[in-house]
Amino acid sequence: MPELPEVETTVQGLRPVLEGQRLANVETRRGDLRHAFPVDLRQRMTGAVVTSLGRRAKYGMIDTDRGDTMIFHLGMSGRWRVDPGELLPHDHLLIDTEAGRRLALNDARRFGFVDLVLTDELDLYPPFAAMGPEPLGPDLTADRLLKALTGRKASIKLMLLDQRIVAGLGNIYVCEALFLAQISPKREAGRISLPRLERLVEAIRTVLEAAIEAGGSSLRDYARPDGELGYFSKQFAVYGREGEPCGCGGTVKRYTEGGRSTFWCPKCQR
């Protein structure tokens, strides 16, 4: 599933095509993805000017001069194709600009979705309302994390995947950040000291920024809007490396928790 770096990379790829452009046509080619397309999507978006693009957690956002924000989630296999030579069966949403550019939202498995909300009411949008701070923003601090984790007996791995604690962190990058911070994913979240949380916050930012720089991770069907694959998977320190040696001399292990595989090095992660 595309995670935060993949969504950020997608938004960066869409920005030069859409920002400042008037939309000549917005067309859905089926009635739904995971959810039904908004019934007034075409009416509200066609003719609007895109004023900015952004991201909240794993959601992409396209703002217009009409006070609307189109929110998209890529689900398991969604991706935007820029100026496709021909339409494919799973190109479910088309956006044409007056400058002659075309975007196609392709989603073979249809686990993604598109929504349309008033920009001024974004904070009230149900998936956003209970979210914690953005991991790359100034609101994620060790002090805030300490407060959120105080008294929590669940593992730090599970707590970091809770979107109410930190918005947008997924399994891959939590494994990598915990490794970089040298914290065991099994450690009880409420028993991690402030200095170690400071190290963890820095590790989260370092891992995410490196993944964005590399264009994300190419897992399953993910590709950037320009069709190129992300290459951060080649930099994984522990994820997907069960049985391989760690730089500390230990061996990468795997266990399952909360239905997800966790990769870690028991020797250097304490």
Side-chain angles (χ1 to χ4, degrees):
M1 178 180 293
E3 295 194 20
L4 186 153
E6 288 77 48
V7 178
E8 180 64 32
T9 301
T10 294
V11 168
Q12 291 178 5
L14 297 179
R15 191 170 282 127
V17 180
L18 285 180
E19 197 164 62
Q21 300 298 313
R22 188 176 298 278
L23 305 183
N25 187 54
V26 176
E27 174 187 348
T28 57
R29 302 182 72 215
R30 60 173 295 118
D32 60 3
L33 296 177
R34 190 196 318 175
H35 310 305
F37 283 108
V39 294
D40 54 355
L41 180 67
R42 183 172 188 174
Q43 175 188 353
R44 288 166 65 179
M45 294 293 286
T46 299
V49 175
V50 175
T51 55
S52 63
L53 290 91
R55 176 194 54 75
R56 178 71 167 116
K58 301 176 188 179
Y59 299 78
M61 302 184 296
I62 301 173
D63 301 329
T64 77
D65 63 345
R66 294 179 177 173
D68 291 321
T69 296
M70 191 185 89
I71 298 170
F72 63 87
H73 193 286
L74 297 175
M76 295 290 290
S77 61
R79 65 186 183 98
W80 287 94
R81 303 200 305 131
V82 178
D83 297 327
E86 60 180 353
L87 294 182
L88 300 177
H90 297 295
D91 289 337
H92 301 308
L93 172 66
L94 303 179
I95 296 179
D96 296 300
T97 72
E98 288 191 347
R101 307 295 298 275
R102 166 167 280 187
L103 292 168
L105 178 58
N106 184 283
D107 190 351
R109 301 182 188 181
R110 293 190 282 112
F111 284 119
F113 65 86
V114 169
D115 212 339
L116 190 61
V117 302
L118 296 176
T119 306
D120 289 344
E121 298 180 2
L122 274 175
D123 289 343
L124 303 177
Y125 184 59
F128 295 174
M131 277 186 182
E134 283 286 322
L136 293 176
D139 291 336
L140 179 61
T141 64
D143 286 331
R144 181 165 180 170
L145 199 53
L146 180 67
K147 183 177 180 180
L149 297 177
T150 297
R152 304 302 291 265
K153 296 185 180 298
S155 72
I156 184 62
K157 167 73 185 302
L158 288 183
M159 286 292 93
L160 289 178
L161 290 175
D162 186 334
Q163 301 299 290
R164 296 168 297 181
I165 304 297
V166 184
L169 289 184
N171 193 48
I172 296 172
Y173 300 106
V174 168
C175 288
E176 292 293 303
L178 287 170
F179 172 78
L180 185 59
Q182 295 190 320
I183 295 174
S184 167
K186 298 182 178 182
R187 181 168 289 277
E188 189 176 307
R191 297 177 63 86
I192 300 177
S193 67
L194 182 62
R196 301 195 81 193
L197 290 178
E198 289 173 345
R199 197 165 69 208
L200 177 58
V201 168
E202 184 61 29
I204 289 170
R205 292 198 175 108
T206 297
V207 166
L208 291 178
E209 288 168 355
I212 291 168
E213 181 67 24
S217 304
S218 296
L219 299 177
R220 298 181 181 174
D221 302 310
Y222 172 70
R224 296 183 293 186
D226 61 5
E228 292 294 320
L229 300 177
Y231 292 99
F232 187 69
S233 59
K234 299 183 184 300
Q235 302 176 34
F236 287 162
V238 288
Y239 189 84
R241 295 190 55 218
E242 180 184 11
E244 296 183 25
C246 174
C248 72
T251 301
V252 176
K253 304 291 185 182
R254 181 183 70 86
Y255 69 91
T256 302
E257 183 180 26
R260 296 179 176 92
S261 290
T262 298
F263 297 88
W264 69 306
C265 174
K267 183 175 181 180
C268 64
Q269 290 179 255
R270 301 291 183 179

